[in-house]
Amino acid sequence: GKDPTRVIQVAPRSPAARAGVRVGDVLVNVGNAPVDGDAALRRALHPYRWGDVVALAVRRDGEAVTLAV
């Protein structure tokens, strides 16, 4: 990928916080769509609506982690 998309903030009590997303996680995939920068993240999230459950693949401390947000 081009630029890693790193989580810099997680809002308290947000769906991301409840799913276990952490500051410092690097987004790898949203659903089946690879994420290699902010534009790719926006494209990957576009088909989803508020309340949808989305699988996020992140890299955390060198380990692959999948979260349902």
Side-chain angles (χ1 to χ4, degrees):
K2 294 180 278 188
D3 299 315
T5 301
R6 190 174 304 275
V7 176
I8 58 170
Q9 182 178 7
V10 179
R13 295 179 303 281
S14 68
R18 288 193 300 271
V21 176
R22 297 182 191 165
V23 170
D25 285 351
V26 175
L27 294 175
V28 178
N29 284 350
V30 173
N32 293 323
V35 175
D36 61 0
D38 292 343
L41 175 59
R42 285 191 293 276
R43 283 192 303 275
L45 288 172
H46 182 74
Y48 298 102
R49 298 292 173 249
W50 183 256
D52 288 348
V53 176
V54 181
L56 293 184
V58 302
R59 196 168 55 247
R60 176 182 295 160
D61 300 325
E63 300 291 322
V65 179
T66 301
L67 306 167
V69 177

